[in-house]
Amino acid sequence: MKKHNYSAGPCILPQEVFEKSAQAILDFNHSGLSILEISHRSKDFVAVMEEARALVLELLGLEGKGYQALFLQGGASLEFLMVPYNLMNINGKAAYLDTGTWANNAIKEAKLFGETVIVASSKDQNYNHIPVDYTIPEDADYFHCTSNNTIFGTQMKSFPKTNVPVVCDMSSDIFSRTLDFTQFDLIYAGAQKNMGAAGATLVVVKEEILGKTGRTIPSILDYQKHIKAESMYNTPSVFAVYTCLLTLQWLKKQGGIAAIEKINEAKANLLYSEIDRNTLFKGTSAVADRSFMNATFLLENPELQESFDKMWKEAGISGITGHRSVGGYRASMYNALPMESVQVLVDVMREFESVFSDQSQLAQ
Amino acid sequence: MKKHNYSAGPCILPQEVFEKSAQAILDFNHSGLSILEISHRSKDFVAVMEEARALVLELLGLEGKGYQALFLQGGASLEFLMVPYNLMNINGKAAYLDTGTWANNAIKEAKLFGETVIVASSKDQNYNHIPVDYTIPEDADYFHCTSNNTIFGTQMKSFPKTNVPVVCDMSSDIFSRTLDFTQFDLIYAGAQKNMGAAGATLVVVKEEILGKTGRTIPSILDYQKHIKAESMYNTPSVFAVYTCLLTLQWLKKQGGIAAIEKINEAKANLLYSEIDRNTLFKGTSAVADRSFMNATFLLENPELQESFDKMWKEAGISGITGHRSVGGYRASMYNALPMESVQVLVDVMREFESVFSDQSQLAQ
């Protein structure tokens, strides 16, 4: 039976990425060699890296605007450390917006480097919304935010205007919606949501913000060294980078970010409409801040959990169990999840209501 | 035509690793899902990680001896940084043996943390041998060495006895030869030689040496945090770890390290015998320190390079061009390279001699 994969990440990728990457393991570019056994300095892989880096800037509309794209390793968690190492001055100050678990982990690493101001937090309401009306200190070395909060199902719909460099962790919604990406000075994202296999990290950085801290940066953490080495300072995560290239090529064929955004909106609207309409469910995050990537929702009557779980599993759905911090359900609708899968989930929710709405009322 | 892949890394892996990993991309464990789209917290992947970690300790003979195996990201180059962060005391001292490019890169990162003593170096002879007769300061926090030098074709055949913790970068010869691995307190290795796809880094560490520096360690660089999280502190490089498991399973089926060591010795002896016998070639590294993984050699008459290159390429050989630091040729004979491939190279060298030995003498 076809699976409807709602995993929060690593997650579904386009079917052609699975097929082409499996083929490349058996025979890459008709070379008679596997992509797993060729040198990262070989002509064939250098071409992969160059095309992937160029496609990132093209799809984000950042070509010729002073940005560099890098494919590094270590996930967003290593970027939590690289950002302050590269951007926080000695005796400097950084500003962070606290919108959830990952923002917190970023803040924790920054605190090792200097004054870390939390400009706002929604922690006291279990991160069910994005804070507004905060002030970013004008003397901060940078402002850091998380565009989408996978765990809590919230997403920043706009970003503050500020004169300090803006750093954004876009791990879970990069390439999913149109934005003016020039408002960011540094964007980073683990590959394993909308980009490719786990093991690669995308960093897009405006070169002019680098090299200004007076800090000695370990070589492996120094963005300038990675730029100079054309993203080959050390052996890259070859296969993961190749899957990113295949996914970016697929996205371009779909019509780029603008085209996929329309589909993502339609998928999210379909599911959120059902969450709001269905008497047995309720959403967990503020309506205005709902994530179009990760929809979090609860049963009105938690005693029906076992029955609902049985029903969606029988429909071939996988990966919608919620994170322990929120409970309930989380449906992750990344770029590669087809509309058909969302329809299947909505149908299950409707069927569930038709069977169990009486029981739910009795229990209440 | 079958390729004989002598790439220095990423490099040849066992054929069954290519086949099984390609299959897992299309359908992992008959789950109907690709290994690229499942959660790293899923039962199936947790089992992969656990088995891989256990197999590492089993194959190295380190089970039940206080060691932990971790699969991290960032390559050996990130370990160059993590080692001093985790092991060098504040106002402490570390001792390094300088045997080549990678040792140097490790030394560079350590210098940011405290006094870094280079106990010996073979730099003045272009790293063509492993230094002997050096003293490791008894008050060093650790001693660091590189077991095999891919670029220069040298390999440490024994390791110094010392009371300070011994850290060894085994990136290019791990799992290739029997050693008493309990003499090491920390071993690390990028996956892309004898272990699996680029993108995973193996760290094997004796737990009791950790947590003693008084230093605040960023979370993502803290071995203790990675151990506590069972190598899942953040999303691991899922696919690369899976290829490591497949390669370790293959190695176990071959009879483990002792069995592969015999084959590696036979391969190295076959090639080095030919380098020494053949009048047109000469080895570059000291005979006693010759690497069984990477054989470096030169043409006696460099003017014959074009003719030799033509001949080995026609035989289906790839990847034996030497590193620019040494020139000439480098034949990397990692675990998965079959004896047959070495025989093909030796045959080419013999044929080359039979055709060109007159010309070579004329030129000299």
Side-chain angles (χ1 to χ4, degrees), chain A residues 5 10-11 18 25 37-38 73-74 85 109 112 216 219-220 234-235, chain B residues 5 10-11 18 25 37-38 73-74 85 109 112 192 216 219-220 234:
Chain A
N5 183 8
C11 67
F18 299 144
I25 287 175
E37 66 176 320
I38 61 168
Q73 293 186 59
Y85 244 130
E109 299 290 45
L112 303 179
T216 305
S219 298
I220 187 69
N234 64 333
T235 310
Chain B
N5 183 7
C11 66
F18 298 144
I25 287 175
E37 65 175 322
I38 60 168
Q73 294 185 58
Y85 244 130
E109 299 290 44
L112 303 179
Q192 65 270 13
T216 304
S219 298
I220 187 69
N234 64 332

PDB file of all heavy atoms in Angstrom, chain A residues 5 10-11 18 25 37-38 73-74 85 109 112 216 219-220 234-235, chain B residues 5 10-11 18 25 37-38 73-74 85 109 112 192 216 219-220 234:
ATOM      1  N   ASN A   5       3.573   9.850   3.912  1.00  0.00           N
ATOM      2  CA  ASN A   5       4.636  10.071   4.892  1.00  0.00           C
ATOM      3  C   ASN A   5       4.645  11.503   5.421  1.00  0.00           C
ATOM      4  O   ASN A   5       5.117  12.419   4.758  1.00  0.00           O
ATOM      5  CB  ASN A   5       5.986   9.723   4.256  1.00  0.00           C
ATOM      6  CG  ASN A   5       7.126   9.867   5.244  1.00  0.00           C
ATOM      7  OD1 ASN A   5       6.915  10.082   6.429  1.00  0.00           O
ATOM      8  ND2 ASN A   5       8.346   9.757   4.741  1.00  0.00           N
ATOM      9  N   PRO A  10      14.042  13.607   9.241  1.00  0.00           N
ATOM     10  CA  PRO A  10      14.015  13.437   7.789  1.00  0.00           C
ATOM     11  C   PRO A  10      12.624  13.063   7.300  1.00  0.00           C
ATOM     12  O   PRO A  10      11.865  12.425   8.020  1.00  0.00           O
ATOM     13  CB  PRO A  10      15.027  12.322   7.524  1.00  0.00           C
ATOM     14  CG  PRO A  10      15.964  12.368   8.694  1.00  0.00           C
ATOM     15  CD  PRO A  10      15.135  12.823   9.844  1.00  0.00           C
ATOM     16  N   CYS A  11      12.338  13.452   6.068  1.00  0.00           N
ATOM     17  CA  CYS A  11      10.962  13.384   5.591  1.00  0.00           C
ATOM     18  C   CYS A  11      10.905  13.025   4.109  1.00  0.00           C
ATOM     19  O   CYS A  11      11.926  12.800   3.474  1.00  0.00           O
ATOM     20  CB  CYS A  11      10.312  14.737   5.809  1.00  0.00           C
ATOM     21  SG  CYS A  11      11.048  16.009   4.779  1.00  0.00           S
ATOM     22  N   PHE A  18      14.584   9.840  -5.080  1.00  0.00           N
ATOM     23  CA  PHE A  18      14.902   8.472  -4.650  1.00  0.00           C
ATOM     24  C   PHE A  18      15.435   7.660  -5.834  1.00  0.00           C
ATOM     25  O   PHE A  18      16.466   6.989  -5.732  1.00  0.00           O
ATOM     26  CB  PHE A  18      13.662   7.774  -4.079  1.00  0.00           C
ATOM     27  CG  PHE A  18      13.082   8.446  -2.854  1.00  0.00           C
ATOM     28  CD1 PHE A  18      11.705   8.478  -2.637  1.00  0.00           C
ATOM     29  CD2 PHE A  18      13.906   9.040  -1.905  1.00  0.00           C
ATOM     30  CE1 PHE A  18      11.175   9.092  -1.505  1.00  0.00           C
ATOM     31  CE2 PHE A  18      13.380   9.660  -0.773  1.00  0.00           C
ATOM     32  CZ  PHE A  18      11.998   9.683  -0.577  1.00  0.00           C
ATOM     33  N   ILE A  25      24.084   5.509  -7.151  1.00  0.00           N
ATOM     34  CA  ILE A  25      24.891   4.640  -6.286  1.00  0.00           C
ATOM     35  C   ILE A  25      25.375   3.426  -7.069  1.00  0.00           C
ATOM     36  O   ILE A  25      26.471   2.918  -6.851  1.00  0.00           O
ATOM     37  CB  ILE A  25      24.079   4.235  -5.040  1.00  0.00           C
ATOM     38  CG1 ILE A  25      23.970   5.449  -4.111  1.00  0.00           C
ATOM     39  CG2 ILE A  25      24.738   3.059  -4.315  1.00  0.00           C
ATOM     40  CD1 ILE A  25      23.104   5.233  -2.916  1.00  0.00           C
ATOM     41  N   GLU A  37      31.916   6.222  -4.364  1.00  0.00           N
ATOM     42  CA  GLU A  37      33.339   5.852  -4.420  1.00  0.00           C
ATOM     43  C   GLU A  37      34.189   6.820  -5.224  1.00  0.00           C
ATOM     44  O   GLU A  37      35.378   6.570  -5.442  1.00  0.00           O
ATOM     45  CB  GLU A  37      33.502   4.428  -4.970  1.00  0.00           C
ATOM     46  CG  GLU A  37      33.080   4.268  -6.424  1.00  0.00           C
ATOM     47  CD  GLU A  37      33.343   2.856  -6.975  1.00  0.00           C
ATOM     48  OE1 GLU A  37      34.386   2.260  -6.663  1.00  0.00           O
ATOM     49  OE2 GLU A  37      32.475   2.354  -7.730  1.00  0.00           O
ATOM     50  N   ILE A  38      33.589   7.936  -5.676  1.00  0.00           N
ATOM     51  CA  ILE A  38      34.398   8.889  -6.460  1.00  0.00           C
ATOM     52  C   ILE A  38      34.950   9.978  -5.560  1.00  0.00           C
ATOM     53  O   ILE A  38      34.380  10.311  -4.528  1.00  0.00           O
ATOM     54  CB  ILE A  38      33.589   9.539  -7.608  1.00  0.00           C
ATOM     55  CG1 ILE A  38      32.392  10.318  -7.039  1.00  0.00           C
ATOM     56  CG2 ILE A  38      33.152   8.485  -8.616  1.00  0.00           C
ATOM     57  CD1 ILE A  38      31.713  11.217  -8.058  1.00  0.00           C
ATOM     58  N   GLN A  73      28.472  20.514   6.955  1.00  0.00           N
ATOM     59  CA  GLN A  73      27.983  19.368   7.720  1.00  0.00           C
ATOM     60  C   GLN A  73      27.608  19.816   9.141  1.00  0.00           C
ATOM     61  O   GLN A  73      27.877  20.929   9.540  1.00  0.00           O
ATOM     62  CB  GLN A  73      29.071  18.296   7.821  1.00  0.00           C
ATOM     63  CG  GLN A  73      29.437  17.635   6.513  1.00  0.00           C
ATOM     64  CD  GLN A  73      30.421  16.482   6.711  1.00  0.00           C
ATOM     65  OE1 GLN A  73      30.140  15.529   7.423  1.00  0.00           O
ATOM     66  NE2 GLN A  73      31.578  16.588   6.084  1.00  0.00           N
ATOM     67  N   GLY A  74      27.010  18.909   9.892  1.00  0.00           N
ATOM     68  CA  GLY A  74      26.772  19.171  11.315  1.00  0.00           C
ATOM     69  C   GLY A  74      25.368  19.656  11.637  1.00  0.00           C
ATOM     70  O   GLY A  74      25.034  19.826  12.809  1.00  0.00           O
ATOM     71  N   TYR A  85      30.370  32.422  16.558  1.00  0.00           N
ATOM     72  CA  TYR A  85      31.819  32.416  16.307  1.00  0.00           C
ATOM     73  C   TYR A  85      32.173  33.393  15.190  1.00  0.00           C
ATOM     74  O   TYR A  85      33.175  34.109  15.243  1.00  0.00           O
ATOM     75  CB  TYR A  85      32.285  31.016  15.897  1.00  0.00           C
ATOM     76  CG  TYR A  85      33.250  30.348  16.857  1.00  0.00           C
ATOM     77  CD1 TYR A  85      33.031  29.043  17.308  1.00  0.00           C
ATOM     78  CD2 TYR A  85      34.399  31.007  17.322  1.00  0.00           C
ATOM     79  CE1 TYR A  85      33.906  28.413  18.188  1.00  0.00           C
ATOM     80  CE2 TYR A  85      35.277  30.384  18.196  1.00  0.00           C
ATOM     81  CZ  TYR A  85      35.032  29.088  18.622  1.00  0.00           C
ATOM     82  OH  TYR A  85      35.888  28.472  19.488  1.00  0.00           O
ATOM     83  N   GLU A 109      24.124  28.207  22.783  1.00  0.00           N
ATOM     84  CA  GLU A 109      25.490  28.260  22.242  1.00  0.00           C
ATOM     85  C   GLU A 109      25.993  29.707  22.202  1.00  0.00           C
ATOM     86  O   GLU A 109      27.154  29.972  22.505  1.00  0.00           O
ATOM     87  CB  GLU A 109      25.559  27.640  20.835  1.00  0.00           C
ATOM     88  CG  GLU A 109      25.159  26.174  20.730  1.00  0.00           C
ATOM     89  CD  GLU A 109      26.125  25.156  21.347  1.00  0.00           C
ATOM     90  OE1 GLU A 109      26.600  25.392  22.485  1.00  0.00           O
ATOM     91  OE2 GLU A 109      26.390  24.120  20.704  1.00  0.00           O
ATOM     92  N   LEU A 112      27.770  31.426  25.222  1.00  0.00           N
ATOM     93  CA  LEU A 112      29.179  31.159  25.517  1.00  0.00           C
ATOM     94  C   LEU A 112      30.091  32.255  24.975  1.00  0.00           C
ATOM     95  O   LEU A 112      31.257  32.341  25.318  1.00  0.00           O
ATOM     96  CB  LEU A 112      29.613  29.816  24.907  1.00  0.00           C
ATOM     97  CG  LEU A 112      28.825  28.573  25.324  1.00  0.00           C
ATOM     98  CD1 LEU A 112      29.365  27.343  24.614  1.00  0.00           C
ATOM     99  CD2 LEU A 112      28.897  28.382  26.838  1.00  0.00           C
ATOM    100  N   THR A 216      39.396  35.040  16.769  1.00  0.00           N
ATOM    101  CA  THR A 216      40.078  33.962  16.042  1.00  0.00           C
ATOM    102  C   THR A 216      39.103  32.803  15.913  1.00  0.00           C
ATOM    103  O   THR A 216      38.603  32.286  16.911  1.00  0.00           O
ATOM    104  CB  THR A 216      41.328  33.491  16.796  1.00  0.00           C
ATOM    105  OG1 THR A 216      42.165  34.613  17.027  1.00  0.00           O
ATOM    106  CG2 THR A 216      42.078  32.458  15.978  1.00  0.00           C
ATOM    107  N   SER A 219      39.466  26.953  12.055  1.00  0.00           N
ATOM    108  CA  SER A 219      39.340  26.854  10.595  1.00  0.00           C
ATOM    109  C   SER A 219      38.046  26.196  10.144  1.00  0.00           C
ATOM    110  O   SER A 219      37.359  26.683   9.255  1.00  0.00           O
ATOM    111  CB  SER A 219      40.521  26.062  10.029  1.00  0.00           C
ATOM    112  OG  SER A 219      41.714  26.727  10.308  1.00  0.00           O
ATOM    113  N   ILE A 220      37.700  25.083  10.769  1.00  0.00           N
ATOM    114  CA  ILE A 220      36.556  24.307  10.299  1.00  0.00           C
ATOM    115  C   ILE A 220      35.236  25.042  10.541  1.00  0.00           C
ATOM    116  O   ILE A 220      34.214  24.709   9.936  1.00  0.00           O
ATOM    117  CB  ILE A 220      36.542  22.904  10.969  1.00  0.00           C
ATOM    118  CG1 ILE A 220      35.470  21.987  10.403  1.00  0.00           C
ATOM    119  CG2 ILE A 220      36.396  23.016  12.485  1.00  0.00           C
ATOM    120  CD1 ILE A 220      35.695  21.541   9.003  1.00  0.00           C
ATOM    121  N   ASN A 234      36.858  20.729   3.556  1.00  0.00           N
ATOM    122  CA  ASN A 234      37.173  19.319   3.808  1.00  0.00           C
ATOM    123  C   ASN A 234      36.180  18.475   3.008  1.00  0.00           C
ATOM    124  O   ASN A 234      35.312  19.015   2.323  1.00  0.00           O
ATOM    125  CB  ASN A 234      37.167  18.981   5.305  1.00  0.00           C
ATOM    126  CG  ASN A 234      35.805  19.150   5.935  1.00  0.00           C
ATOM    127  OD1 ASN A 234      34.997  19.951   5.468  1.00  0.00           O
ATOM    128  ND2 ASN A 234      35.549  18.419   6.993  1.00  0.00           N
ATOM    129  N   THR A 235      36.329  17.167   3.069  1.00  0.00           N
ATOM    130  CA  THR A 235      35.467  16.303   2.256  1.00  0.00           C
ATOM    131  C   THR A 235      34.008  16.575   2.592  1.00  0.00           C
ATOM    132  O   THR A 235      33.581  16.391   3.727  1.00  0.00           O
ATOM    133  CB  THR A 235      35.763  14.813   2.534  1.00  0.00           C
ATOM    134  OG1 THR A 235      37.172  14.607   2.444  1.00  0.00           O
ATOM    135  CG2 THR A 235      35.051  13.921   1.532  1.00  0.00           C
TER     136      THR A 235
ATOM    137  N   ASN B   5      39.372   0.975  -9.011  1.00  0.00           N
ATOM    138  CA  ASN B   5      39.273   2.296  -8.395  1.00  0.00           C
ATOM    139  C   ASN B   5      40.269   2.474  -7.256  1.00  0.00           C
ATOM    140  O   ASN B   5      40.064   1.987  -6.157  1.00  0.00           O
ATOM    141  CB  ASN B   5      37.836   2.504  -7.891  1.00  0.00           C
ATOM    142  CG  ASN B   5      37.644   3.883  -7.295  1.00  0.00           C
ATOM    143  OD1 ASN B   5      38.530   4.740  -7.366  1.00  0.00           O
ATOM    144  ND2 ASN B   5      36.483   4.106  -6.694  1.00  0.00           N
ATOM    145  N   PRO B  10      36.872  10.034  -0.998  1.00  0.00           N
ATOM    146  CA  PRO B  10      36.036   8.829  -0.978  1.00  0.00           C
ATOM    147  C   PRO B  10      36.549   7.794  -1.974  1.00  0.00           C
ATOM    148  O   PRO B  10      37.122   8.152  -2.994  1.00  0.00           O
ATOM    149  CB  PRO B  10      34.648   9.337  -1.375  1.00  0.00           C
ATOM    150  CG  PRO B  10      34.641  10.789  -0.980  1.00  0.00           C
ATOM    151  CD  PRO B  10      36.048  11.248  -1.154  1.00  0.00           C
ATOM    152  N   CYS B  11      36.293   6.529  -1.654  1.00  0.00           N
ATOM    153  CA  CYS B  11      36.963   5.452  -2.364  1.00  0.00           C
ATOM    154  C   CYS B  11      36.043   4.240  -2.520  1.00  0.00           C
ATOM    155  O   CYS B  11      34.890   4.259  -2.096  1.00  0.00           O
ATOM    156  CB  CYS B  11      38.198   5.041  -1.586  1.00  0.00           C
ATOM    157  SG  CYS B  11      37.778   4.319   0.004  1.00  0.00           S
ATOM    158  N   PHE B  18      27.114  -1.032  -2.125  1.00  0.00           N
ATOM    159  CA  PHE B  18      26.435  -0.243  -3.168  1.00  0.00           C
ATOM    160  C   PHE B  18      25.034  -0.816  -3.420  1.00  0.00           C
ATOM    161  O   PHE B  18      24.045  -0.087  -3.467  1.00  0.00           O
ATOM    162  CB  PHE B  18      27.232  -0.264  -4.475  1.00  0.00           C
ATOM    163  CG  PHE B  18      28.609   0.354  -4.370  1.00  0.00           C
ATOM    164  CD1 PHE B  18      29.692  -0.168  -5.071  1.00  0.00           C
ATOM    165  CD2 PHE B  18      28.835   1.464  -3.563  1.00  0.00           C
ATOM    166  CE1 PHE B  18      30.953   0.403  -4.979  1.00  0.00           C
ATOM    167  CE2 PHE B  18      30.095   2.039  -3.467  1.00  0.00           C
ATOM    168  CZ  PHE B  18      31.159   1.502  -4.176  1.00  0.00           C
ATOM    169  N   ILE B  25      17.310   2.848  -0.536  1.00  0.00           N
ATOM    170  CA  ILE B  25      16.781   4.152  -0.957  1.00  0.00           C
ATOM    171  C   ILE B  25      15.425   3.964  -1.632  1.00  0.00           C
ATOM    172  O   ILE B  25      14.533   4.814  -1.514  1.00  0.00           O
ATOM    173  CB  ILE B  25      17.788   4.864  -1.887  1.00  0.00           C
ATOM    174  CG1 ILE B  25      18.956   5.354  -1.034  1.00  0.00           C
ATOM    175  CG2 ILE B  25      17.136   6.024  -2.625  1.00  0.00           C
ATOM    176  CD1 ILE B  25      20.075   5.966  -1.813  1.00  0.00           C
ATOM    177  N   GLU B  37      13.774   9.027   3.821  1.00  0.00           N
ATOM    178  CA  GLU B  37      12.578   9.768   4.258  1.00  0.00           C
ATOM    179  C   GLU B  37      12.058   9.331   5.627  1.00  0.00           C
ATOM    180  O   GLU B  37      11.003   9.778   6.059  1.00  0.00           O
ATOM    181  CB  GLU B  37      11.454   9.655   3.216  1.00  0.00           C
ATOM    182  CG  GLU B  37      10.921   8.239   3.024  1.00  0.00           C
ATOM    183  CD  GLU B  37       9.716   8.169   2.068  1.00  0.00           C
ATOM    184  OE1 GLU B  37       8.860   9.068   2.085  1.00  0.00           O
ATOM    185  OE2 GLU B  37       9.638   7.183   1.307  1.00  0.00           O
ATOM    186  N   ILE B  38      12.796   8.430   6.306  1.00  0.00           N
ATOM    187  CA  ILE B  38      12.308   8.004   7.624  1.00  0.00           C
ATOM    188  C   ILE B  38      12.946   8.841   8.729  1.00  0.00           C
ATOM    189  O   ILE B  38      14.048   9.367   8.576  1.00  0.00           O
ATOM    190  CB  ILE B  38      12.600   6.509   7.898  1.00  0.00           C
ATOM    191  CG1 ILE B  38      14.103   6.225   7.847  1.00  0.00           C
ATOM    192  CG2 ILE B  38      11.848   5.638   6.913  1.00  0.00           C
ATOM    193  CD1 ILE B  38      14.486   4.861   8.394  1.00  0.00           C
ATOM    194  N   GLN B  73      29.263  14.094  12.669  1.00  0.00           N
ATOM    195  CA  GLN B  73      29.418  14.709  11.353  1.00  0.00           C
ATOM    196  C   GLN B  73      30.642  15.631  11.357  1.00  0.00           C
ATOM    197  O   GLN B  73      31.228  15.878  12.395  1.00  0.00           O
ATOM    198  CB  GLN B  73      28.182  15.538  10.999  1.00  0.00           C
ATOM    199  CG  GLN B  73      26.909  14.742  10.806  1.00  0.00           C
ATOM    200  CD  GLN B  73      25.759  15.631  10.345  1.00  0.00           C
ATOM    201  OE1 GLN B  73      25.839  16.290   9.330  1.00  0.00           O
ATOM    202  NE2 GLN B  73      24.680  15.643  11.103  1.00  0.00           N
ATOM    203  N   GLY B  74      30.991  16.135  10.197  1.00  0.00           N
ATOM    204  CA  GLY B  74      32.031  17.164  10.115  1.00  0.00           C
ATOM    205  C   GLY B  74      33.403  16.642   9.734  1.00  0.00           C
ATOM    206  O   GLY B  74      34.325  17.438   9.529  1.00  0.00           O
ATOM    207  N   TYR B  85      39.000  20.862  22.484  1.00  0.00           N
ATOM    208  CA  TYR B  85      37.875  21.383  23.272  1.00  0.00           C
ATOM    209  C   TYR B  85      37.546  20.426  24.424  1.00  0.00           C
ATOM    210  O   TYR B  85      37.244  20.846  25.537  1.00  0.00           O
ATOM    211  CB  TYR B  85      36.626  21.533  22.393  1.00  0.00           C
ATOM    212  CG  TYR B  85      36.128  22.969  22.217  1.00  0.00           C
ATOM    213  CD1 TYR B  85      35.856  23.476  20.951  1.00  0.00           C
ATOM    214  CD2 TYR B  85      35.924  23.794  23.309  1.00  0.00           C
ATOM    215  CE1 TYR B  85      35.399  24.776  20.764  1.00  0.00           C
ATOM    216  CE2 TYR B  85      35.465  25.099  23.144  1.00  0.00           C
ATOM    217  CZ  TYR B  85      35.201  25.586  21.867  1.00  0.00           C
ATOM    218  OH  TYR B  85      34.754  26.868  21.695  1.00  0.00           O
ATOM    219  N   GLU B 109      44.426  23.767  14.881  1.00  0.00           N
ATOM    220  CA  GLU B 109      43.231  23.999  15.712  1.00  0.00           C
ATOM    221  C   GLU B 109      43.601  23.936  17.199  1.00  0.00           C
ATOM    222  O   GLU B 109      43.104  24.726  18.002  1.00  0.00           O
ATOM    223  CB  GLU B 109      42.136  22.969  15.404  1.00  0.00           C
ATOM    224  CG  GLU B 109      41.601  22.964  13.969  1.00  0.00           C
ATOM    225  CD  GLU B 109      40.754  24.155  13.558  1.00  0.00           C
ATOM    226  OE1 GLU B 109      41.134  25.302  13.870  1.00  0.00           O
ATOM    227  OE2 GLU B 109      39.704  23.944  12.887  1.00  0.00           O
ATOM    228  N   LEU B 112      44.833  27.049  19.202  1.00  0.00           N
ATOM    229  CA  LEU B 112      43.883  28.060  19.688  1.00  0.00           C
ATOM    230  C   LEU B 112      43.532  27.841  21.157  1.00  0.00           C
ATOM    231  O   LEU B 112      42.947  28.711  21.789  1.00  0.00           O
ATOM    232  CB  LEU B 112      42.595  28.015  18.855  1.00  0.00           C
ATOM    233  CG  LEU B 112      42.731  28.217  17.348  1.00  0.00           C
ATOM    234  CD1 LEU B 112      41.363  28.125  16.679  1.00  0.00           C
ATOM    235  CD2 LEU B 112      43.377  29.562  17.055  1.00  0.00           C
ATOM    236  N   GLN B 192      34.916   7.940   5.009  1.00  0.00           N
ATOM    237  CA  GLN B 192      35.001   7.731   3.555  1.00  0.00           C
ATOM    238  C   GLN B 192      36.201   6.943   3.032  1.00  0.00           C
ATOM    239  O   GLN B 192      36.506   7.028   1.846  1.00  0.00           O
ATOM    240  CB  GLN B 192      34.907   9.078   2.843  1.00  0.00           C
ATOM    241  CG  GLN B 192      36.052  10.044   3.091  1.00  0.00           C
ATOM    242  CD  GLN B 192      35.804  10.950   4.286  1.00  0.00           C
ATOM    243  OE1 GLN B 192      34.914  10.732   5.074  1.00  0.00           O
ATOM    244  NE2 GLN B 192      36.611  11.983   4.419  1.00  0.00           N
ATOM    245  N   THR B 216      34.238  25.106  29.410  1.00  0.00           N
ATOM    246  CA  THR B 216      32.852  25.041  28.947  1.00  0.00           C
ATOM    247  C   THR B 216      32.867  24.657  27.467  1.00  0.00           C
ATOM    248  O   THR B 216      33.478  25.342  26.653  1.00  0.00           O
ATOM    249  CB  THR B 216      32.155  26.405  29.099  1.00  0.00           C
ATOM    250  OG1 THR B 216      32.265  26.800  30.472  1.00  0.00           O
ATOM    251  CG2 THR B 216      30.689  26.293  28.726  1.00  0.00           C
ATOM    252  N   SER B 219      27.649  22.711  23.220  1.00  0.00           N
ATOM    253  CA  SER B 219      26.920  21.433  23.250  1.00  0.00           C
ATOM    254  C   SER B 219      27.237  20.530  22.067  1.00  0.00           C
ATOM    255  O   SER B 219      27.483  19.340  22.231  1.00  0.00           O
ATOM    256  CB  SER B 219      25.410  21.699  23.278  1.00  0.00           C
ATOM    257  OG  SER B 219      25.081  22.412  24.433  1.00  0.00           O
ATOM    258  N   ILE B 220      27.242  21.106  20.879  1.00  0.00           N
ATOM    259  CA  ILE B 220      27.394  20.273  19.678  1.00  0.00           C
ATOM    260  C   ILE B 220      28.796  19.668  19.578  1.00  0.00           C
ATOM    261  O   ILE B 220      29.014  18.707  18.842  1.00  0.00           O
ATOM    262  CB  ILE B 220      27.044  21.098  18.409  1.00  0.00           C
ATOM    263  CG1 ILE B 220      27.013  20.241  17.144  1.00  0.00           C
ATOM    264  CG2 ILE B 220      28.023  22.245  18.207  1.00  0.00           C
ATOM    265  CD1 ILE B 220      25.892  19.273  17.063  1.00  0.00           C
ATOM    266  N   ASN B 234      21.833  15.413  17.669  1.00  0.00           N
ATOM    267  CA  ASN B 234      21.042  16.058  16.609  1.00  0.00           C
ATOM    268  C   ASN B 234      20.879  15.044  15.471  1.00  0.00           C
ATOM    269  O   ASN B 234      21.398  13.928  15.556  1.00  0.00           O
ATOM    270  CB  ASN B 234      21.674  17.381  16.137  1.00  0.00           C
ATOM    271  CG  ASN B 234      23.029  17.189  15.488  1.00  0.00           C
ATOM    272  OD1 ASN B 234      23.741  16.232  15.805  1.00  0.00           O
ATOM    273  ND2 ASN B 234      23.399  18.095  14.610  1.00  0.00           N
TER     274      ASN B 234
END
